[in-house]
Amino acid sequence: MIKIDGIVVVEGKDDKTALSRVIEPEKIYILNGMSGANQKKIDDLKRLAKNNKIYILTDPDYAGKKIREKINKNIPNAINIYANKFLATKKDNVGVENLNADDIFELFKNIHEVEKNKKDKFTITELMDAGLLVGNNSRIKRELLGDILAIGYCNGKKLLNLLNSLNISRKDFDAAVEIVNKMYKFKDKNAAIFGKFFPVHKGHIKFIKLVARYCKNVYVFVCSETERDKKLNEKSKLANLTINDRKRFVELEVKGYKNIKVLELNEDGIEPYPNGWEAWSKRVNEKIEKNSLKIDCIFTNEVQDQEKYNKYFNIKAYLLDPKREDYSISSTMIRNDPEKYIDYFSESVKKWYFKFKIGRAHV
């Protein structure tokens, strides 16, 4: 559980339910939507603000913005937390309730408070040089920057004011700008990701969602090869994992994200990795053509694979998160010692694993 030194304000009961997975329920204050943000509730929050920090976490939509503005006007020292709109959107529903536990942990790891008597460290010139104020892509870049720094979207003037009032370091700003300038060009691109996902874990899911935040569509190929999969299952301390299981687990983890599609790629008859790249690339292209897919780029976190993708495909491959900074884990580690790495399981795999354990205990 996250220890909160204040009160987190949300819009509705479902938001509280989502947050209660990682935050003490008594620390969460429900407004009940726009109508709930009435003067009585505002006065109650002003009373609570005398002895508590007030954190605002409203939905990343128009109504949420208006509620946030109303609270900020009445409680100027409130701390704003912004949910990522992509992560908070499932199908056509936008809300904090759609965030999973890991998303919520990330939000509260990146809280930016207003620093009193802080000297300006960022200038208009720097923002212009970063392409955040002028140019055809400046709006997209500000949107991405706000997402990465967890400060929400704002116009150029407000962005400069926020950067100079919040506890955002130059190191964090420079790192965010680097990502923005690398990723903004993928907004209209269709990407592919390949993997065995044997089993899918939190690192995989974070990587897939990260790519999906920047790209128009993401096609996730779950690769299978009969003999290889048989050998992996024989050595594994998990229950037998079929290709249908692995594909289903990935689908469950990205359910509701309209721009993520999951497909199977059968690799039977192809020389095992790290060989067979030419035959494998041909198989991939056949799959793409058969399913009438348009793929503009490939994403990987494997340096050696990026080189091979670029060699054997007419599609550019890009490296993302090669150090796996948040989740230094592999499926091999999980298969070899599931109990040790249980915290890295994706939710769907964890449910499956415990069901298997219970069943085995009754044999």
Side-chain angles (χ1 to χ4, degrees):
M1 298 288 285
I2 300 173
K3 297 296 182 182
I4 297 297
D5 58 344
I7 306 295
V8 183
V9 180
V10 296
E11 292 184 43
K13 292 180 180 178
D14 291 338
D15 299 337
K16 180 176 181 176
T17 299
L19 262 64
S20 295
R21 288 174 284 174
V22 295
I23 295 173
E24 300 158 294
E26 62 271 19
K27 296 283 188 178
I28 304 170
Y29 187 99
I30 302 174
L31 289 172
N32 293 318
M34 181 69 84
S35 61
N38 52 42
Q39 196 57 48
K40 183 179 179 181
K41 285 285 181 77
I42 293 296
D43 289 341
D44 193 30
L45 283 174
K46 289 168 73 173
R47 176 185 60 79
L48 290 170
K50 292 179 181 178
N51 298 304
N52 298 277
K53 289 182 178 180
I54 300 296
Y55 297 91
I56 308 172
L57 179 55
T58 54
D59 294 342
D61 57 12
Y62 180 78
K65 180 183 177 182
K66 289 301 178 183
I67 293 170
R68 184 186 296 277
E69 289 174 350
K70 187 173 183 179
I71 298 173
N72 279 316
K73 184 177 180 180
N74 285 272
I75 308 174
N77 61 340
I79 301 164
N80 289 278
I81 305 174
Y82 295 89
N84 175 272
K85 189 170 184 178
F86 171 78
L87 296 175
T89 303
K90 295 292 178 67
K91 295 185 178 178
D92 294 318
N93 177 41
V94 180
V96 169
E97 67 204 64
N98 294 320
L99 298 173
N100 63 34
D102 289 327
D103 298 332
I104 297 167
F105 269 114
E106 284 295 315
L107 276 179
F108 284 88
K109 276 171 54 181
N110 295 291
I111 293 175
H112 299 294
E113 297 190 39
V114 173
E115 292 187 352
K116 295 180 180 178
N117 304 318
K118 182 180 177 182
K119 294 182 179 180
D120 291 356
K121 69 168 71 171
F122 300 100
T123 67
I124 288 180
T125 301
E126 287 178 299
L127 269 59
M128 290 181 68
D129 290 343
L132 296 166
L133 298 185
V134 293
N136 294 332
N137 298 303
S138 59
R139 181 184 175 89
I140 293 174
K141 288 185 176 183
R142 289 198 305 274
E143 181 181 333
L144 293 178
L145 186 82
D147 173 23
I148 296 165
L149 293 176
I151 59 174
Y153 171 78
C154 50
N155 61 32
K157 183 179 179 180
K158 185 178 179 182
L159 175 60
L160 182 62
N161 289 335
L162 278 177
L163 291 172
N164 283 321
S165 62
L166 300 177
N167 58 334
I168 296 172
S169 69
R170 178 160 295 282
K171 181 181 177 182
D172 287 342
F173 173 77
D174 290 342
V177 168
E178 184 179 349
I179 296 172
V180 167
N181 286 328
K182 181 179 180 181
M183 303 303 295
Y184 80 91
K185 58 189 174 185
F186 296 106
K187 272 292 185 180
D188 297 318
K189 304 296 183 183
N190 299 310
I193 296 172
F194 299 91
K196 296 190 295 293
F197 306 105
F198 209 123
V200 63
H201 54 65
K202 288 183 177 180
H204 289 138
I205 299 307
K206 181 178 180 182
F207 186 82
I208 292 168
K209 289 182 179 179
L210 187 62
V211 174
R213 281 162 66 174
Y214 298 116
C215 296
K216 182 179 180 181
N217 291 296
V218 177
Y219 299 101
V220 182
F221 292 86
V222 183
C223 303
S224 67
E225 201 284 320
T226 304
E227 289 304 314
R228 177 195 64 208
D229 295 352
K230 181 180 177 182
K231 290 176 182 178
L232 289 176
N233 273 316
E234 288 172 351
K235 294 179 181 179
S236 175
K237 292 185 180 179
L238 298 170
N240 189 69
L241 270 170
T242 68
I243 178 57
N244 289 334
D245 291 328
R246 291 187 282 130
K247 182 172 179 286
R248 177 168 55 87
F249 292 150
V250 176
E251 287 173 334
L252 286 171
E253 295 300 325
V254 300
K255 185 178 180 181
Y257 295 100
K258 295 193 291 185
N259 69 330
I260 304 176
K261 310 290 189 302
V262 184
L263 305 95
E264 178 192 349
L265 179 67
N266 185 279
E267 300 172 339
D268 285 349
I270 298 174
E271 192 176 358
Y273 183 89
N275 302 309
W277 273 91
E278 187 172 355
W280 185 81
S281 63
K282 182 180 178 181
R283 182 74 57 86
V284 171
N285 284 323
E286 289 172 352
K287 182 77 174 181
I288 291 171
E289 185 176 346
K290 182 179 179 181
N291 287 271
S292 301
L293 305 179
K294 182 181 183 299
I295 294 178
D296 305 298
C297 51
I298 298 170
F299 280 91
T300 180
N301 53 17
E302 301 284 354
V303 176
Q304 67 274 17
D305 286 358
Q306 181 193 27
E307 296 171 356
K308 297 293 186 181
Y309 286 134
N310 286 331
K311 179 178 179 179
Y312 290 101
F313 286 89
N314 291 323
I315 304 169
K316 182 74 174 175
Y318 296 89
L319 196 63
L320 191 63
D321 191 29
K323 295 181 181 178
R324 307 180 190 193
E325 294 181 1
D326 288 327
Y327 295 105
S328 184
I329 189 67
S330 70
S331 294
T332 302
M333 293 162 67
I334 290 174
R335 291 195 304 272
N336 290 342
D337 196 346
E339 290 296 323
K340 181 178 180 179
Y341 299 108
I342 193 75
D343 289 339
Y344 292 93
F345 281 34
S346 66
E347 288 304 311
S348 57
V349 173
K350 187 179 289 186
K351 289 177 183 178
W352 167 83
Y353 177 68
F354 282 124
K355 186 177 180 181
F356 157 71
K357 280 188 66 177
I358 292 170
R360 187 169 60 178
H362 287 84
V363 173

